[in-house]
């Protein structure tokens, strides 16, 4: 009798794996539109342990993953899906799927506790500095810095003579910013709350309102609309609103086939601090308000060209992040998304 050695070796391997005991945990960001990637990962992992799922078992796995991915992503764009499994001796594999959500403030508090400063670089944004330099008398030009972080822009503007109101949601960031302001006796007020809770403690004569690296955490157009409405109410006539935002390059998100990819890209983008808004969505958010778009520049190109020598890039992760490469693992020139600086002026 001839022996098919490959066939017999595979048969022995199946028995070998069934005599093993395995356990593990897979933790991934929750991106509902990428459901099939989670199903494939689990199926391959379980099969590698000798527990190949049937079609019915895979369908059941898919339905459970779909439910928990939706739950996690709805709860927070800082959410994970945790898949734990154990395989005792035999052919059984047990698994459990758990959504895990974290608030934005808690996420950034963890950054303070676990990451080496400076978290966002040490130099103010070149775009913000350029706008501030156009103001003749900074002592009479009040600035509102929304999402001020640890004060990279707010502190520099205050040192330049501007009275600054810095709004920061994350308690740890607000503590750092307030301590730096006190240390250097700056005209800088720290407002530690959600900017959209109320406008009662804000001025109505700001010459500059800025949001640097803030809109990437937005989840919907309504949040952009709220920024434009705040600027329309709180800017002095002629004052400027400046913010950076991830936008698709021309042609992306333009047909049905690409739109299926775009939905997954939007969800993954929110998980990696890179929320995407189209030009049409931004126009809708600004519609009917006394704000006129003045400039629209690539953040990568502008900051690289205008930051002082030795400052570019501000952090090790900055250049890839503003190029959309945290969403798409491709060379910069192939990324269909990039961060842009938008500057609006109040017209009335």
């Amino acid at each position: 009798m001839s022996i098919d050695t490959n066939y017999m070796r595979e048969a022995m391997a199946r028995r070998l794996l069934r005599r093993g005991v395995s356990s593990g945990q897979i933790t991934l960001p929750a991106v509902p539109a990428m459901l099939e990637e989670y199903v494939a990962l689990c199926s391959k992992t379980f099969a590698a342990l000798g527990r190949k799922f049937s079609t019915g078992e895979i369908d059941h796995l898919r339905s459970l993953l779909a439910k928990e991915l939706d739950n996690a992503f709805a709860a927070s764009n800082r959410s994970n899906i945790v898949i734990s499994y154990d395989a005792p001796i035999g052919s059984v594999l047990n698994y459990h799927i758990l959504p895990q959500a974290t608030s934005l403030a808690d996420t950034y508090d963890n950054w303070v506790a676990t990451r080496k400063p400076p978290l966002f670089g040490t130099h103010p944004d070149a775009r913000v500095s350029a706008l501030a330099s156009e103001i003749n008398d900074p002592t009479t030009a009040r600035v509102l810095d929304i999402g001020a972080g640890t004060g990279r822009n707010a502190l520099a503007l205050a040192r330049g003579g501007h009275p600054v109101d810095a709004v920061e949601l994350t308690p740890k960031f607000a503590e750092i910013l307030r301590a730096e302001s006190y240390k250097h006796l700056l005209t800088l007020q720290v407002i530690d709350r959600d900017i959209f809770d109320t406008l009662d403690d804000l001025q109505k004569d700001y010459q500059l309102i800025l949001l640097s690296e803030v809109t990437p955490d937005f989840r919907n157009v309504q949040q952009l609309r709220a920024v434009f409405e705040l600027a329309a109410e709180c800017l002095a006539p002629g004052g400027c609103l400046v913010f950076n935002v991830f936008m698709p390059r021309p042609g992306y998100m333009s047909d049905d086939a690409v739109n299926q990819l775009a939905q997954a890209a939007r969800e993954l983008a929110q998980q990696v601090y890179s929320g995407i808004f189209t030009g049409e969505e931004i126009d809708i958010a600004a519609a009917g308000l006394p704000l006129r778009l003045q400039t629209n520049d690539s953040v990568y190109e502008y900051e690289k060209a205008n930051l002082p020598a030795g400052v570019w890039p501000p952090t090790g992760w900055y250049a890839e992040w503003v190029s959309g490469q945290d969403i798409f693992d491709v060379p910069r020139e192939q990324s269909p998304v990039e961060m842009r600086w938008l500057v609006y002026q109040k017209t009335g």
Side-chain angles (χ1 to χ4, degrees), residues 207-220:
Q207 291 293 321
L208 180 62
I209 296 177
L210 70 102
L211 297 89
S212 179
E213 304 177 14
V214 173
T215 66
D217 285 317
F218 285 2
R219 304 201 72 180
N220 52 58

Side-chain angles (χ1 to χ4, degrees), residues 35-36 38-40 42-44 46-47 51-65 95:
L35 170 63
E36 292 307 317
Y38 298 86
V39 173
C42 289
S43 297
K44 291 176 183 177
F46 300 163
R51 277 70 172 180
K52 186 175 181 179
F53 274 23
S54 66
T55 300
E57 288 171 325
I58 290 175
D59 288 343
H60 182 62
L61 170 66
R62 180 181 288 107
S63 67
L64 294 178
L65 282 168
Y95 65 90

Side-chain angles (χ1 to χ4, degrees), residues 185-312:
L185 302 177
L186 299 173
T187 307
L188 191 157
Q189 175 186 209
V190 180
I191 304 171
D192 47 348
R193 64 169 177 80
D194 187 330
I195 186 64
F196 302 121
D197 286 347
T198 178
L199 304 185
D200 292 346
D201 52 354
L202 302 181
Q203 305 299 314
K204 301 298 185 290
D205 62 347
Y206 294 107
Q207 291 293 321
L208 180 62
I209 296 177
L210 70 102
L211 297 89
S212 179
E213 304 177 14
V214 173
T215 66
D217 285 317
F218 285 2
R219 304 201 72 180
N220 52 58
V221 176
Q222 288 71 34
Q223 289 173 291
L224 271 181
R225 176 68 180 182
V227 168
F228 283 116
E229 289 176 343
L230 182 151
E233 182 169 345
C234 296
L235 276 175
C240 288
L241 165 68
V242 57
F243 63 92
N244 44 22
V245 59
F246 281 96
M247 299 178 66
R249 297 183 190 273
Y252 184 58
M253 300 184 177
S254 60
D255 58 54
D256 290 341
V258 174
N259 279 341
Q260 294 178 8
L261 171 66
Q263 179 61 30
R266 282 182 181 270
E267 293 177 357
L268 179 59
Q270 289 191 21
Q271 289 283 14
V272 294
Y273 310 88
S274 307
I276 302 167
F277 292 94
T278 66
E280 291 77 10
E281 289 170 333
I282 296 170
D283 287 344
I284 289 170
L289 298 173
L291 297 165
R292 180 179 297 132
L293 180 64
Q294 301 294 304
T295 61
N296 179 342
D297 300 299
S298 162
V299 169
Y300 181 99
E301 299 294 349
Y302 191 97
E303 297 299 310
K304 185 177 182 181
N306 292 284
L307 281 171
V311 176
W312 175 263

